[in-house]
């Protein structure tokens, strides 16, 4: 879902969607993991965001699907052709597992993704590992909610 960060950029792609290049203007690992934790704790859909420079990327993670919207970040009213809309049949639990896997596999790069002077990278890495461990626990706890014959009201 997320590629290893290189020079302040990471690519995002879900099944059935385009690739999106997200910049370091958002601390993706920390912000997205926090949203995923909140979503699994409350069992409510959540939204993650990124910056494409110049456009804004939004991904609403619902129970059974992810909804991607890319829009200009200007204040003027947008026309339909100014907005990209996509849907991926990726459920909330899958999204959280992909997020966990992708960040865990490149923990050093994600800890330093938004670090302008590299002075706080080790502390950020410890914090990120702690958050990832909590996310992994929640993924295991919530697995039963996404089984066959389950639904969300």
């Amino acid at each position: 879902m997320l590629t290893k960060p290189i020079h302040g950029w990471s690519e995002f792609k879900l099944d059935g969607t385009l690739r999106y290049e997200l910049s370091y203007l958002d601390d993706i690992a920390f912000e997205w993991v926090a949203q995923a934790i909140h979503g699994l704790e409350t069992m409510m859909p959540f939204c993650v965001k990124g910056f494409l420079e110049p456009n804004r990327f939004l991904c609403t993670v619902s129970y059974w699907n992810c909804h991607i919207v890319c829009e200009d970040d200007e204040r003027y009213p947008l026309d339909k052709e100014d907005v990209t809309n996509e849907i991926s049949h990726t459920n909330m639990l899958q999204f959280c597992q992909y997020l966990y896997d992708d960040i865990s596999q490149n923990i050093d790069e994600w800890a330093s993704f938004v670090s302008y002077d590299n002075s706080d990278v080790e502390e950020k890495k410890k914090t990120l590992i702690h958050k990832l461990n909590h996310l992994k626990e929640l993924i295991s706890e919530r697995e039963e909610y996404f089984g066959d014959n389950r639904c969300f009201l």
Side-chain angles (χ1 to χ4, degrees):
M1 178 174 82
L2 288 168
T3 61
K4 179 179 176 179
I6 299 175
H7 307 298
W9 293 89
S10 176
E11 287 186 0
F12 172 90
K13 182 177 183 349
L14 290 173
D15 289 340
T17 72
L18 299 170
R19 288 190 187 281
Y20 298 94
E21 294 201 19
L22 304 171
S23 84
Y24 68 95
L25 294 177
D26 289 285
D27 204 346
I28 291 170
F30 288 89
E31 294 169 13
W32 290 26
V33 168
Q35 291 297 319
I37 288 170
H38 180 72
L40 289 178
E41 285 177 341
T42 61
M43 286 310 298
M44 294 292 291
F46 61 93
C47 185
V48 295
K49 71 177 187 72
F51 203 61
L52 304 169
E53 295 188 46
N55 294 328
R56 180 177 292 105
F57 168 91
L58 304 167
C59 179
T60 301
V61 181
S62 190
Y63 300 110
W64 303 115
N65 298 285
C66 291
H67 305 265
I68 296 172
V69 174
C70 293
E71 62 183 7
D72 194 311
D73 66 334
E74 298 296 325
R75 295 176 183 233
Y76 59 84
L78 298 174
D79 293 323
K80 282 186 178 184
E81 59 270 1
D82 296 327
V83 179
T84 301
N85 288 294
E86 290 193 285
I87 298 172
S88 174
H89 186 55
T90 302
N91 73 41
M92 184 186 295
L93 198 68
Q94 290 170 317
F95 182 94
C96 292
Q97 184 66 56
Y98 294 156
L99 183 64
Y100 173 85
D101 292 344
D102 294 344
I103 293 174
S104 296
Q105 291 169 10
N106 298 295
I107 192 85
D108 291 325
E109 290 81 3
W110 283 112
S112 62
F113 189 59
V114 178
S115 181
Y116 303 107
D117 60 5
N118 286 331
S119 64
D120 61 346
V121 172
E122 283 306 311
E123 190 59 38
K124 286 181 75 176
K125 183 177 174 181
K126 288 178 189 174
T127 301
L128 189 54
I129 289 169
H130 176 73
K131 288 180 181 289
L132 286 169
N133 288 337
H134 185 49
L135 178 61
K136 185 65 175 170
E137 290 170 8
L138 287 168
I139 291 168
S140 294
E141 290 172 11
R142 299 299 191 240
E143 215 169 344
E144 68 182 271
Y145 289 82
F146 294 88
D148 292 338
N149 301 318
R150 297 302 294 240
C151 68
F152 296 94
L153 303 177

